[in-house]
Amino acid sequence: EYATVRFSGIVPPVAGCWLGVEWDNPERGKHDGSHEGTVYFKCSQLSKLQDISLRNCAVSCAGEKGGIAKACPNIRKVDLSKNLLSSWDEVIHIADQLRHLEDLNLSENKLRCPSGSAPLTGAFSALKVLVLNRTGITWAEVLRCASACPVLEELYLESNDIVISERPTDVLQTVKLLDLSSNRLIDESQLFLIAYLPRLEQLILSDIGISSIHFPDAGIGCKTSMFPNLQYLVVNDNQISQWSFINELDKLRSLHALSCNRNPLTEGDKAAQTTRQLIIAKIGQLRTLNKCKILPEERRGAELDYRKAFGNEWKKAGGHQDPARNRPDEAFLAAHPRYQLLCLSTYRPGGLSPARFSLEKEKAEYGAPEDGELKIQQPFMLKNQLLTLKIKCPNQPDQKVLEKQLPDSMTIQKVKGLLSRLLRVPVSDLLLSYESPKMPGREIELENDLQSLQFYSVENGDSLLVRW
């Protein structure tokens, strides 16, 4: 028998520590929480219950008419996943009794359509979250159910073999999050049918088998009218292998966060940090990648490296430091739609507010890559990722300036370990920062031990400042 401990302590005049329990079975128990006139605890009142889970409890029907409303009228969240509900009619009988219902999980119930052809009304008037994973629901049924949910904000439809067969016109207009994961029949053309949902902010497309996307209404350097408010896109576990997919995402006007794990593009021979840099450089407004925040310093480093890495290719395609002669061909612009923007001397790094821009202006003026930069730049080859750095100890005037070659992939933690041995100072006492000739008078702290020198945009000729 299950019970909840409601009281633990002394019950005079009896000796010892006593437990007061409330049995799950209302037919058990001999007391009401009081003893000899003193109330030690009160049992929970089902009428105040707001959140309940009945997952895998063999629920098959609503039960006695009006029984749910009488026992639990204030329920707001119900998990009825993995039960024996076989039709929407039974779901409606349940929901009709819960006038405050906001969150409903019906996953893993094989539900038949409601009887009759009239739209569902009333039962889901307050519903904001609906979870229908692995229910076998079709897109037509989704739209019909959604017609009864006038304030729906989150809809989860994972693993249903859904084919998006028609554009939602009068339904799903309030939805902010849509999860279509593991519906492997969905293709690029079907996504265009949901591209104009006005409030859609989060779209989860993990494991649908997608490999390409193209927004035909927007040319190079332009923004698409599709998915106007989409801020977070998840495309994990797909077949994305071409950088053209990433290029197209830069056309989404509101996209600030992207998850793109476990795709051929991100799982290939290139180092994970290199791939991350390229994605950051190609999507200008991105603020978070794979749930890791993109700091201004990381964006600056990624864009500078990208500008140098493809500089020779840009020149061969017709690019030139002289704006009047700078005419790269269409093939280059298609492969690198942001490159021209990064070469402008007035470029503002993505994600910076006007106020922030004024502080970052000195590092925002990239300009076209100079020949001197391009001669030494052979991108993404390990042998060319060694940085020659000066090591200075500002608080130790007697310590000579040292020079070391370190790989840019080296973490701050490992740099500290090296310096600890070199300077005979405990690692825990070391504080690191760096300065660059390109940013005179400015010092940048290397505060995250798990990040690399590359993450902080440390370059050849910079100086590491060590304090203890």
PDB file of all heavy atoms in Angstrom, residues 88 92 114-115 118-124 144-149:
ATOM      1  N   TRP A  88     -10.857   9.647 -29.858  1.00  0.00           N
ATOM      2  CA  TRP A  88     -10.909  11.043 -29.424  1.00  0.00           C
ATOM      3  C   TRP A  88     -12.186  11.328 -28.651  1.00  0.00           C
ATOM      4  O   TRP A  88     -12.228  12.262 -27.848  1.00  0.00           O
ATOM      5  CB  TRP A  88     -10.793  11.967 -30.641  1.00  0.00           C
ATOM      6  CG  TRP A  88      -9.375  12.189 -31.046  1.00  0.00           C
ATOM      7  CD1 TRP A  88      -8.670  11.538 -32.013  1.00  0.00           C
ATOM      8  CD2 TRP A  88      -8.465  13.126 -30.460  1.00  0.00           C
ATOM      9  NE1 TRP A  88      -7.381  12.010 -32.070  1.00  0.00           N
ATOM     10  CE2 TRP A  88      -7.227  12.984 -31.137  1.00  0.00           C
ATOM     11  CE3 TRP A  88      -8.576  14.062 -29.444  1.00  0.00           C
ATOM     12  CZ2 TRP A  88      -6.108  13.753 -30.818  1.00  0.00           C
ATOM     13  CZ3 TRP A  88      -7.455  14.834 -29.115  1.00  0.00           C
ATOM     14  CH2 TRP A  88      -6.245  14.680 -29.801  1.00  0.00           C
ATOM     15  N   ILE A  92     -12.320  13.637 -25.370  1.00  0.00           N
ATOM     16  CA  ILE A  92     -13.222  14.790 -25.240  1.00  0.00           C
ATOM     17  C   ILE A  92     -14.050  14.683 -23.963  1.00  0.00           C
ATOM     18  O   ILE A  92     -14.255  15.678 -23.256  1.00  0.00           O
ATOM     19  CB  ILE A  92     -14.120  14.900 -26.486  1.00  0.00           C
ATOM     20  CG1 ILE A  92     -13.283  15.261 -27.713  1.00  0.00           C
ATOM     21  CG2 ILE A  92     -15.215  15.937 -26.279  1.00  0.00           C
ATOM     22  CD1 ILE A  92     -14.002  15.102 -29.021  1.00  0.00           C
ATOM     23  N   PRO A 114     -12.648  11.494 -33.895  1.00  0.00           N
ATOM     24  CA  PRO A 114     -13.938  11.668 -33.220  1.00  0.00           C
ATOM     25  C   PRO A 114     -15.089  11.372 -34.155  1.00  0.00           C
ATOM     26  O   PRO A 114     -14.998  11.587 -35.364  1.00  0.00           O
ATOM     27  CB  PRO A 114     -13.924  13.129 -32.785  1.00  0.00           C
ATOM     28  CG  PRO A 114     -12.912  13.778 -33.652  1.00  0.00           C
ATOM     29  CD  PRO A 114     -11.900  12.742 -33.969  1.00  0.00           C
ATOM     30  N   SER A 115     -16.188  10.872 -33.608  1.00  0.00           N
ATOM     31  CA  SER A 115     -17.352  10.547 -34.438  1.00  0.00           C
ATOM     32  C   SER A 115     -17.978  11.825 -34.950  1.00  0.00           C
ATOM     33  O   SER A 115     -17.896  12.876 -34.332  1.00  0.00           O
ATOM     34  CB  SER A 115     -18.366   9.753 -33.611  1.00  0.00           C
ATOM     35  OG  SER A 115     -18.722  10.484 -32.452  1.00  0.00           O
ATOM     36  N   ALA A 118     -18.570  17.279 -37.524  1.00  0.00           N
ATOM     37  CA  ALA A 118     -18.525  18.654 -37.000  1.00  0.00           C
ATOM     38  C   ALA A 118     -17.184  18.898 -36.315  1.00  0.00           C
ATOM     39  O   ALA A 118     -16.604  17.999 -35.718  1.00  0.00           O
ATOM     40  CB  ALA A 118     -19.669  18.869 -36.014  1.00  0.00           C
ATOM     41  N   PRO A 119     -16.664  20.137 -36.372  1.00  0.00           N
ATOM     42  CA  PRO A 119     -15.393  20.430 -35.706  1.00  0.00           C
ATOM     43  C   PRO A 119     -15.542  20.299 -34.198  1.00  0.00           C
ATOM     44  O   PRO A 119     -16.608  20.500 -33.642  1.00  0.00           O
ATOM     45  CB  PRO A 119     -15.105  21.884 -36.122  1.00  0.00           C
ATOM     46  CG  PRO A 119     -16.431  22.451 -36.503  1.00  0.00           C
ATOM     47  CD  PRO A 119     -17.211  21.316 -37.060  1.00  0.00           C
ATOM     48  N   LEU A 120     -14.428  19.948 -33.551  1.00  0.00           N
ATOM     49  CA  LEU A 120     -14.438  19.826 -32.095  1.00  0.00           C
ATOM     50  C   LEU A 120     -14.517  21.219 -31.484  1.00  0.00           C
ATOM     51  O   LEU A 120     -13.795  22.120 -31.886  1.00  0.00           O
ATOM     52  CB  LEU A 120     -13.153  19.135 -31.621  1.00  0.00           C
ATOM     53  CG  LEU A 120     -12.766  17.863 -32.367  1.00  0.00           C
ATOM     54  CD1 LEU A 120     -11.429  17.360 -31.844  1.00  0.00           C
ATOM     55  CD2 LEU A 120     -13.828  16.800 -32.195  1.00  0.00           C
ATOM     56  N   THR A 121     -15.376  21.395 -30.525  1.00  0.00           N
ATOM     57  CA  THR A 121     -15.519  22.716 -29.910  1.00  0.00           C
ATOM     58  C   THR A 121     -15.593  22.596 -28.405  1.00  0.00           C
ATOM     59  O   THR A 121     -16.124  21.630 -27.866  1.00  0.00           O
ATOM     60  CB  THR A 121     -16.794  23.423 -30.407  1.00  0.00           C
ATOM     61  OG1 THR A 121     -17.923  22.582 -30.133  1.00  0.00           O
ATOM     62  CG2 THR A 121     -16.738  23.726 -31.884  1.00  0.00           C
ATOM     63  N   GLY A 122     -15.037  23.604 -27.720  1.00  0.00           N
ATOM     64  CA  GLY A 122     -15.226  23.716 -26.282  1.00  0.00           C
ATOM     65  C   GLY A 122     -14.274  22.922 -25.423  1.00  0.00           C
ATOM     66  O   GLY A 122     -13.772  23.417 -24.418  1.00  0.00           O
ATOM     67  N   ALA A 123     -14.003  21.662 -25.777  1.00  0.00           N
ATOM     68  CA  ALA A 123     -13.251  20.779 -24.885  1.00  0.00           C
ATOM     69  C   ALA A 123     -11.837  21.272 -24.611  1.00  0.00           C
ATOM     70  O   ALA A 123     -11.298  21.030 -23.535  1.00  0.00           O
ATOM     71  CB  ALA A 123     -13.210  19.372 -25.479  1.00  0.00           C
ATOM     72  N   PHE A 124     -11.218  21.952 -25.585  1.00  0.00           N
ATOM     73  CA  PHE A 124      -9.816  22.349 -25.439  1.00  0.00           C
ATOM     74  C   PHE A 124      -9.654  23.871 -25.519  1.00  0.00           C
ATOM     75  O   PHE A 124      -8.666  24.367 -26.023  1.00  0.00           O
ATOM     76  CB  PHE A 124      -8.970  21.675 -26.523  1.00  0.00           C
ATOM     77  CG  PHE A 124      -9.160  20.185 -26.599  1.00  0.00           C
ATOM     78  CD1 PHE A 124      -9.849  19.604 -27.662  1.00  0.00           C
ATOM     79  CD2 PHE A 124      -8.678  19.366 -25.594  1.00  0.00           C
ATOM     80  CE1 PHE A 124     -10.025  18.229 -27.720  1.00  0.00           C
ATOM     81  CE2 PHE A 124      -8.848  17.992 -25.650  1.00  0.00           C
ATOM     82  CZ  PHE A 124      -9.539  17.416 -26.711  1.00  0.00           C
ATOM     83  N   ARG A 144      -7.776  19.067 -37.831  1.00  0.00           N
ATOM     84  CA  ARG A 144      -9.125  19.015 -37.260  1.00  0.00           C
ATOM     85  C   ARG A 144      -9.080  19.191 -35.738  1.00  0.00           C
ATOM     86  O   ARG A 144      -9.878  19.931 -35.164  1.00  0.00           O
ATOM     87  CB  ARG A 144      -9.806  17.695 -37.614  1.00  0.00           C
ATOM     88  CG  ARG A 144     -11.264  17.694 -37.179  1.00  0.00           C
ATOM     89  CD  ARG A 144     -11.995  16.456 -37.596  1.00  0.00           C
ATOM     90  NE  ARG A 144     -13.348  16.483 -37.052  1.00  0.00           N
ATOM     91  CZ  ARG A 144     -14.106  15.427 -36.920  1.00  0.00           C
ATOM     92  NH1 ARG A 144     -13.671  14.248 -37.309  1.00  0.00           N
ATOM     93  NH2 ARG A 144     -15.319  15.527 -36.414  1.00  0.00           N
ATOM     94  N   CYS A 145      -8.157  18.498 -35.098  1.00  0.00           N
ATOM     95  CA  CYS A 145      -8.017  18.647 -33.643  1.00  0.00           C
ATOM     96  C   CYS A 145      -7.603  20.077 -33.278  1.00  0.00           C
ATOM     97  O   CYS A 145      -8.086  20.641 -32.287  1.00  0.00           O
ATOM     98  CB  CYS A 145      -6.982  17.663 -33.104  1.00  0.00           C
ATOM     99  SG  CYS A 145      -7.485  15.941 -33.211  1.00  0.00           S
ATOM    100  N   ALA A 146      -6.705  20.650 -34.074  1.00  0.00           N
ATOM    101  CA  ALA A 146      -6.227  22.001 -33.790  1.00  0.00           C
ATOM    102  C   ALA A 146      -7.335  23.037 -33.877  1.00  0.00           C
ATOM    103  O   ALA A 146      -7.258  24.090 -33.245  1.00  0.00           O
ATOM    104  CB  ALA A 146      -5.095  22.358 -34.749  1.00  0.00           C
ATOM    105  N   SER A 147      -8.372  22.735 -34.651  1.00  0.00           N
ATOM    106  CA  SER A 147      -9.487  23.682 -34.762  1.00  0.00           C
ATOM    107  C   SER A 147     -10.215  23.865 -33.436  1.00  0.00           C
ATOM    108  O   SER A 147     -10.918  24.859 -33.242  1.00  0.00           O
ATOM    109  CB  SER A 147     -10.475  23.194 -35.830  1.00  0.00           C
ATOM    110  OG  SER A 147     -11.136  22.005 -35.395  1.00  0.00           O
ATOM    111  N   ALA A 148     -10.042  22.906 -32.504  1.00  0.00           N
ATOM    112  CA  ALA A 148     -10.674  23.007 -31.191  1.00  0.00           C
ATOM    113  C   ALA A 148      -9.750  23.616 -30.149  1.00  0.00           C
ATOM    114  O   ALA A 148     -10.092  23.672 -28.970  1.00  0.00           O
ATOM    115  CB  ALA A 148     -11.117  21.621 -30.723  1.00  0.00           C
ATOM    116  N   CYS A 149      -8.568  24.066 -30.599  1.00  0.00           N
ATOM    117  CA  CYS A 149      -7.554  24.595 -29.661  1.00  0.00           C
ATOM    118  C   CYS A 149      -7.215  26.036 -30.045  1.00  0.00           C
ATOM    119  O   CYS A 149      -6.161  26.285 -30.656  1.00  0.00           O
ATOM    120  CB  CYS A 149      -6.306  23.732 -29.693  1.00  0.00           C
ATOM    121  SG  CYS A 149      -6.601  21.975 -29.419  1.00  0.00           S
TER     122      CYS A 149
END
